[in-house]
Amino acid sequence: MKPLSPECLPLPDCAERAWARDAVNLLQGDARRSADTHLINPVFPGLSGISFYLKDESTHPTGSLKHRLARSLVLYGICNGLIRQGTTLVEASSGSTAVSEAYFAHLLDLPFVAVMTKDTSRQKIAEIERFGGKCHFVDRACEIYDAARQITEETNGHYLNQFTYAERATDWRGNNNIAESIFSQMELEVHPVPEWVVMCAGTGGTSATIGRYLRYRGLPTRLCVVDVEHSVFYDGYRTGDRNKTCEKGSRIEGIGRPRVEPSFLPSVIDHMIKIPDAASLAAMHVLSERIFRRVGGSTGTNFFGLCWVAGQMMRENREGSLVSVICDSGARYEDTYYNAKWLEENKFDIEPYREALNIFLDTGDFTLLEALVRASK
């Protein structure tokens, strides 16, 4: 019997494309409902000539900057044919990304499994489970990757893999990404083009998006990335060695990694600093007191970085604007970063940094803050 010629073969009905089309519409609908987030401008009496701006990503439906990333990762998977009806979504996450991905999995009626360390905040775990997601726990941060791959194989699912795909799932040229939104909101300010954007790194995806956007638009704004203890991003940037690793995981949830993640792009970063965890947590407390709402530890890292850059600018008698991000709400850390007993048990002495930051913000005197950072090295 002769095989059928190509023109005689029945055409596929492509039913899966209909599901993908509906799924993308649901995700785009969420983006339109979310609109944009506020760019707030807190005023500090000691910083004459320097303006701070904070993009408040905590107001997204899932409460963090990771809402943007999660939507992009799911869209990336659908549009590449990797996520289909019934596909189990799997992620390795320290919490906030998984909360947002659980939300989108629930929106699309897809199973979701988050792999995380046992010390992830209970609030984040509860939020993942509230959206119908499941949590798989490991002992050490370096174990999350292999565990996520294994679960993906067992479920024949899709590993969202934020640490690899964060930098490529987001359209860095625009399309209302966080960089384009910031610069649009800055247009009518006294210093509309920031001197610096300051950003901590979790996957490295946000810094990659911002750094690429600055170059694409030909903007003079520079990008400073702030790293924390028990993270190798700074070492990878300084040495050029992407194989750097460390055993212990970051104590500032959501940022700092035990390996140099694929989404981290040192080539688009203009400057990096590494700060003590106590400085991040002190800055978190100070900022929360001054804007009358609680922010998370990664935002504290961002804010300390802003203060450090501002101190250097003031020393050089330079004026201008500085921009960073409120990554998430402090409500997720009531039992940890905002708990005095927890801070004491974990040997965080934040009071010296709190004092130095308040002096700097009120008077512009950078001496004590600088001395503390240099003494910590």
Side-chain angles (χ1 to χ4, degrees), residues 43 49 64 124 222 243 252 280 287 324 370 372 374:
V43 177
S64 82
K124 288 181 181 177
R222 288 157 291 173
N243 296 314
I252 308 299
S280 292
L287 179 61
S324 192
E370 186 174 43
L372 282 172
R374 297 203 186 285

Side-chain angles (χ1 to χ4, degrees), residues 315-351:
R315 177 170 292 157
E316 298 169 6
N317 295 314
R318 294 174 59 189
E319 297 185 349
S321 57
L322 302 174
V323 180
S324 192
V325 173
I326 295 176
C327 300
D328 65 356
S329 166
R332 290 175 170 171
Y333 310 100
E334 298 288 344
D335 296 332
T336 54
Y337 302 152
Y338 286 101
N339 184 318
K341 183 179 179 182
W342 185 91
L343 290 173
E344 183 180 355
E345 289 174 350
N346 286 272
K347 298 181 172 55
F348 286 115
D349 182 9
I350 68 172
E351 291 309 314

Side-chain angles (χ1 to χ4, degrees), residues 119-139:
D119 58 358
T120 300
S121 77
R122 288 178 291 174
Q123 179 67 25
K124 288 181 181 177
I125 294 167
E127 290 173 7
I128 292 166
E129 293 175 342
R130 191 176 302 125
F131 287 124
K134 296 181 180 179
C135 297
H136 177 91
F137 300 101
V138 296
D139 293 319

Side-chain angles (χ1 to χ4, degrees), residues 95-372:
S96 288
T97 303
V99 172
S100 298
E101 289 169 339
Y103 166 89
F104 287 112
H106 178 73
L107 186 67
L108 301 177
D109 195 25
L110 298 174
F112 177 71
V113 181
V115 180
M116 60 187 66
T117 56
K118 294 177 180 177
D119 58 358
T120 300
S121 77
R122 288 178 291 174
Q123 179 67 25
K124 288 181 181 177
I125 294 167
E127 290 173 7
I128 292 166
E129 293 175 342
R130 191 176 302 125
F131 287 124
K134 296 181 180 179
C135 297
H136 177 91
F137 300 101
V138 296
D139 293 319
R140 298 182 301 165
C142 59
E143 298 172 351
I144 62 174
Y145 313 101
D146 289 341
R149 291 190 190 94
Q150 182 177 346
I151 292 170
T152 301
E153 291 177 6
E154 291 172 354
T155 60
N156 194 28
H158 172 61
Y159 181 16
L160 291 162
N161 199 352
Q162 60 171 321
F163 300 110
T164 294
Y165 295 112
E167 56 88 8
R168 65 195 70 170
T170 301
D171 184 354
W172 48 267
R173 289 164 293 191
N175 195 23
N176 198 36
N177 66 29
I178 190 169
E180 183 180 59
S181 176
I182 287 170
F183 281 87
S184 174
Q185 291 174 312
M186 287 288 296
E187 285 178 355
L188 299 180
E189 299 303 312
V190 175
H191 301 286
V193 179
E195 288 288 307
W196 290 87
V197 175
V198 178
M199 191 67 217
C200 56
T203 61
T206 302
S207 63
T209 297
I210 293 170
R212 286 165 160 172
Y213 184 82
L214 295 177
R215 284 159 175 74
Y216 177 66
R217 291 289 308 276
L219 295 163
T221 304
R222 288 157 291 173
L223 173 64
C224 175
V225 174
V226 190
D227 202 14
V228 293
E229 295 178 45
H230 310 301
S231 173
V232 295
F233 284 139
Y234 176 79
D235 295 330
Y237 172 82
R238 185 175 54 84
T239 66
D241 183 0
R242 295 193 68 93
N243 296 314
K244 291 274 186 181
T245 60
C246 64
E247 280 294 310
K248 196 171 181 181
S250 169
R251 297 180 294 178
I252 308 299
E253 279 196 30
I255 61 173
R257 300 301 307 162
R259 70 177 193 183
V260 181
E261 301 294 352
S263 282
F264 178 70
L265 302 183
S267 57
V268 303
I269 297 168
D270 297 294
H271 184 54
M272 276 198 78
I273 59 175
K274 187 163 187 168
I275 67 172
D277 291 345
S280 292
L281 299 184
M284 174 195 77
H285 280 263
V286 169
L287 179 61
S288 296
E289 291 161 1
R290 296 198 175 227
I291 64 172
F292 309 109
R293 59 185 135 138
R294 287 184 166 180
V295 300
S298 55
T299 303
T301 303
N302 286 342
F303 186 61
F304 193 93
L306 284 177
C307 292
W308 185 261
V309 172
Q312 304 296 332
M313 287 177 62
M314 292 177 72
R315 177 170 292 157
E316 298 169 6
N317 295 314
R318 294 174 59 189
E319 297 185 349
S321 57
L322 302 174
V323 180
S324 192
V325 173
I326 295 176
C327 300
D328 65 356
S329 166
R332 290 175 170 171
Y333 310 100
E334 298 288 344
D335 296 332
T336 54
Y337 302 152
Y338 286 101
N339 184 318
K341 183 179 179 182
W342 185 91
L343 290 173
E344 183 180 355
E345 289 174 350
N346 286 272
K347 298 181 172 55
F348 286 115
D349 182 9
I350 68 172
E351 291 309 314
Y353 287 104
R354 286 182 72 156
E355 178 187 5
L357 283 163
N358 280 316
I359 289 172
F360 174 65
L361 295 173
D362 288 335
T363 70
D365 185 349
F366 189 56
T367 309
L368 180 57
L369 192 61
E370 186 174 43
L372 282 172

